Amino acid sequence: LIVEVISRFDVVAIQEVQSNFRGLSDDSSSRAWSHIPTASSNGGACMGIVRVTTTMSLDGFMAGPDHEMDWVFEHSSDVPAENTQELIETTGAILAGRGSYNVGRRSTRQETSKPFGGAWSGPQFVLTHDPPDDEDDPSITFISGDIRSAVASALDAAAGKNVLIFGANIANQALGAGLVDEIVLYVLPVLLGD
C-alpha cells in the first residue's frame, strides 16, 4: 500500500506500509494481489491499480455540512494542477458508494456534479443496494454485491488504467478487504470544524 500525502506546502510523503495493516502480515510477499486481474476480458494485460483519493481539511474533515464538497473547490488552487491532471489521465473507471453519488447528484456546481468537474469521462460504478430509477447518465452503472466483485468490475472496465475510489464507506470496505494499492490524500489549508 502506498500512501501519498500532499499539502499546500509541497510536502510530499510517500511510504510503503508493509506491516499489520488491517491484518496483513509483515511478510510483504504474502499480500493478496488476487484482486488485480492478469488479463482483461479482451485478452489484454491489466496494469491498473486501485486508488483511494480524497481531500481533507487541516482539522481532519473530508466533507462539510450535509456531506457537501464545495469547500474543496474554493481551495483547488492549493492542489498542484499536475497532480490532478495525472489522476484524470490515469483513471479508467470510478467506483463510488451511494452517498458520494448523492453528493454529486444534488450539487449545483459543475465541479462536484461530475468527476473532476467534467474533465474526466468514463465508466462509473455505484455500489448500492438502493439504486435510483431515474438516472439518465449512461456512464453510471449501479451494482450490488460485495466490494471484491465491485472492484473487479471496475478494474475490468478500466481497461488497464487505474480505478479511483470515491467515498469513505467504499474506501473503508476496499481497505478492509486489502484491495487498495494507493491512497492519495490532499490536505488543504482550511478548518471546517466548529
Side-chain angles (χ1 to χ4, degrees):
L1 176 66
I2 303 294
V3 179
E4 183 174 356
V5 179
I6 302 169
S7 74
R8 177 179 183 215
F9 309 105
D10 293 327
V11 175
V12 178
I14 301 174
Q15 65 179 12
E16 185 168 351
V17 178
Q18 294 182 343
S19 62
N20 294 331
F21 185 79
R22 297 239 179 203
L24 295 177
S25 74
D26 288 333
D27 177 11
S28 61
S29 66
S30 70
R31 293 174 54 172
W33 294 104
S34 60
H35 70 283
I36 301 176
T38 56
S40 66
S41 58
N42 65 7
C46 282
M47 302 297 287
I49 63 170
V50 178
R51 280 181 161 170
V52 171
T53 185
T54 193
T55 306
M56 186 172 69
S57 66
L58 284 174
D59 54 349
F61 288 93
M62 292 187 287
D66 298 319
H67 305 283
E68 62 89 10
M69 295 300 297
D70 291 349
W71 72 272
V72 170
F73 300 99
E74 295 167 11
H75 299 276
S76 62
S77 63
D78 293 318
V79 176
E82 61 271 12
N83 292 28
T84 302
Q85 191 60 38
E86 189 271 338
L87 283 172
I88 292 169
E89 291 173 2
T90 61
T91 297
I94 291 175
L95 175 62
R98 181 64 192 261
S100 294
Y101 166 81
N102 286 344
V103 168
R105 185 166 181 173
R106 73 173 175 255
S107 177
T108 58
R109 291 180 71 141
Q110 174 68 20
E111 297 97 330
T112 52
S113 64
K114 300 282 185 188
F116 297 101
W120 180 88
S121 63
Q124 301 174 63
F125 295 89
V126 179
L127 183 58
T128 181
H129 298 291
D130 184 28
D133 56 7
D134 61 345
E135 177 57 61
D136 59 1
D137 185 340
S139 72
I140 298 175
T141 301
F142 296 94
I143 55 177
S144 62
D146 68 9
I147 191 66
R148 287 188 181 281
S149 62
V151 168
S153 294
L155 278 167
D156 191 49
K161 288 187 166 186
N162 299 334
V163 170
L164 194 57
I165 292 180
F166 287 151
N169 184 295
I170 300 301
N172 192 41
Q173 288 181 54
L175 283 165
L179 302 174
V180 175
D181 300 304
E182 185 175 86
I183 298 171
V184 180
L185 174 65
Y186 296 99
V187 180
L188 298 183
V190 63
L191 300 174
L192 295 178
D194 294 341

